[in-house]
Amino acid sequence: MSMSEFIKFPSDFYWGCASSGAQSEGNINKANESTWDHWHHIEPERFFNGIGPDIACNTYMHFAEDIKLMKVLKFNSFRTSIQWSRLIKNFDTCELDEDGVRFYNAYIDELIAEGIEPFITLFHFDMPIALQNRGGWASKDVVELYVRYAKTAFQLFGDRVKKWFTFNEPIVPVEGGYLYQFHYPNEVDFKKAIQVAYNTNLASAKAIEAYREASGDGEIGIVLNLTPSYAASDSAQDVDAAHLADAMFNRSFLDPSIKGSFPKELIELFKIYGLMPETTEEELSIIRNNTIDILGVNYYQPRRIQAKAAPIDKNAPIMPETFFDNYIWPDRRMNIYRGWEIYPKAIYDIAVNLKENYGNVKWFISENGMGVEGEERFLDENGIVIDDYRIDFIKEHLFWLQKGMAEDSNCVGYHLWTFVDNWSWVNAFKNRYGYVSLDLANGKRTIKKSGHWIASVIEDAGFEF
């Protein structure tokens, strides 16, 4: 018979959720279109049930109600993003949209009034379409416009916002937009993808530089989705393949963000294949000298890798998978709705990696969660979603997170994705992630069983496991 133990967290631990402007606000009074607005208008069939971001959770109208629910769940922090396309009316002059300024001021003030610290992301996948048409992140002119937007946000809200994040999951627009076609502009061009990744790293460092030059008195960082790469075997070939995959999908942003440099094996590989991005020594110096204060880690699934089974086809278009194969672990558990492996121990491995290889940087889980389709199957007689599967999922991840913290990894918080079920890009509302359910017919919010459970966890600073 096994004995349960109390999994305890510090009293000042950050508890809450994450969301983003584009996935929650809706488009009322939005000054400009983002790539998502544009893409949905021209190809609505690419989106689950044809639903775009026009309404989302209508947070623009419901933010005060939502924040009161966050208080019921006992959050002390919440991360969302400012939409560049809502705050700025003219991207070249940085002319403000007055309603956008009013909205974000009211949103931030309401959070603070309820004792919930706002964590603000500056870019969460939502490039204004006008700037995408000028090259998006492939353009260094757009990098400069982003830095001006960031400076503006610091000036407007920096007196109250003390946790800033330059980007959320910057590798995802690289993968989705320029390799695997699940983000606009749906191109397949590995060399361009590398330039986009480099320019995004540069934009992050320049925003950090601007924050410090403006004497920002908070912390600034970046949110990365880390997918630990596990080799299929102990063979040198599999281990080398997993190491290279880790460099491409994790360390391409993790290293410059924390160490100020890019992985050497990537540089060597890109030189061999003629894939090096355009850089200058001045830009590399900016990246080297403007590393982060705090890291957000989004963790959903691991990556399993093996060496190439077949020789490289020199006539095929070059892609990341030119250099390794993905591997299906026979013992894996799956979230069948999202098609992602569930592997909670990876959070512990991330914690150890950050402690041992990244100077024990200050970090927190900025996203973790479980998307489930058809949650109405789990409604009880009171209309509450009984999502025990989500509670079990969170418990397992928190167990491994606490184990990493017990070994002195510098983790300071845990945010779930997400608070209210929100719009998820091309999957729209297919899978539900929230502590709070959203009725699409009338916008009604109802706390799920997991929401009531997490409130007790926060109240007790831990749980029996």
Side-chain angles (χ1 to χ4, degrees), residues 232-253:
S233 76
D234 293 333
S235 76
Q237 293 84 357
D238 284 347
V239 170
D240 287 348
H243 191 69
L244 184 58
D246 183 54
M248 285 193 184
F249 293 110
N250 295 316
R251 287 184 286 128
S252 55
F253 281 94

Side-chain angles (χ1 to χ4, degrees), residues 335-401:
N335 174 356
I336 58 172
Y337 310 103
R338 196 62 181 83
W340 286 350
E341 181 182 339
I342 297 173
Y343 188 63
K345 180 180 175 292
I347 277 192
Y348 169 78
D349 294 335
I350 289 169
V352 172
N353 183 39
L354 293 176
K355 184 184 78 168
E356 294 185 349
N357 299 311
Y358 291 91
N360 208 13
V361 65
K362 182 177 181 179
W363 68 288
F364 71 110
I365 289 292
S366 41
E367 290 181 27
N368 178 228
M370 185 181 189
V372 173
E373 186 174 1
E375 281 201 321
E376 63 275 8
R377 291 171 293 160
F378 305 106
L379 285 170
D380 71 1
E381 65 276 11
N382 299 312
I384 296 173
V385 175
I386 307 300
D387 53 346
D388 291 300
Y389 43 87
R390 181 167 290 109
I391 294 171
D392 292 341
F393 177 97
I394 297 169
K395 279 182 176 178
E396 284 193 81
H397 285 79
L398 284 175
F399 168 80
W400 285 106
L401 179 62

Side-chain angles (χ1 to χ4, degrees), residues 6-17:
F6 190 78
I7 309 300
K8 187 170 179 58
F9 290 87
S11 59
D12 58 352
F13 202 60
Y14 286 112
W15 295 101
C17 275

Side-chain angles (χ1 to χ4, degrees), residues 132-317:
Q132 184 62 46
N133 290 339
R134 291 160 63 172
W137 291 119
S139 163
K140 290 186 182 176
D141 290 339
V142 171
V143 170
E144 295 306 315
L145 294 176
Y146 166 80
V147 176
R148 293 176 65 180
Y149 152 64
K151 287 179 180 176
T152 301
F154 300 149
Q155 290 166 359
L156 287 168
F157 312 119
D159 59 330
R160 287 153 290 159
V161 174
K162 303 301 178 186
K163 298 280 191 307
W164 290 96
F165 300 90
T166 56
F167 285 86
N168 178 81
E169 299 187 355
I171 192 72
V172 171
V174 174
E175 295 176 282
Y178 299 93
L179 291 172
Y180 307 121
Q181 296 184 290
F182 59 89
H183 277 208
Y184 196 83
N186 293 306
E187 297 181 18
V188 181
D189 185 334
F190 193 21
K191 184 173 174 59
K192 194 170 186 179
I194 292 166
Q195 187 69 58
V196 166
Y198 171 79
N199 287 357
T200 311
N201 271 302
L202 176 63
S204 178
K206 285 194 161 205
I208 292 170
E209 180 182 51
Y211 185 68
R212 290 179 181 147
E213 285 178 351
S215 302
D217 59 353
E219 295 175 302
I220 187 164
I222 194 168
V223 171
L224 302 179
N225 54 315
L226 298 184
T227 52
S229 293
Y230 297 101
S233 76
D234 293 333
S235 76
Q237 293 84 357
D238 284 347
V239 170
D240 287 348
H243 191 69
L244 184 58
D246 183 54
M248 285 193 184
F249 293 110
N250 295 316
R251 287 184 286 128
S252 55
F253 281 94
L254 193 58
D255 283 17
S257 296
I258 298 176
K259 299 179 177 178
S261 61
F262 293 92
K264 289 180 180 175
E265 60 268 49
L266 277 190
I267 295 172
E268 292 169 1
L269 186 76
F270 293 164
K271 283 181 177 176
I272 291 171
Y273 286 88
L275 296 170
M276 281 293 287
E278 293 180 5
T279 68
T280 69
E281 185 49 46
E282 181 184 2
E283 292 167 354
L284 292 170
S285 175
I286 290 170
I287 292 170
R288 193 161 49 245
N289 293 317
N290 292 282
T291 54
I292 60 172
D293 301 318
I294 182 171
L295 175 69
V297 173
N298 294 356
Y299 172 67
Y300 289 95
Q301 61 172 339
R303 190 182 301 272
R304 300 195 183 272
I305 297 293
Q306 61 186 354
K308 291 293 292 183
I312 292 175
D313 180 354
K314 295 182 179 176
N315 296 316

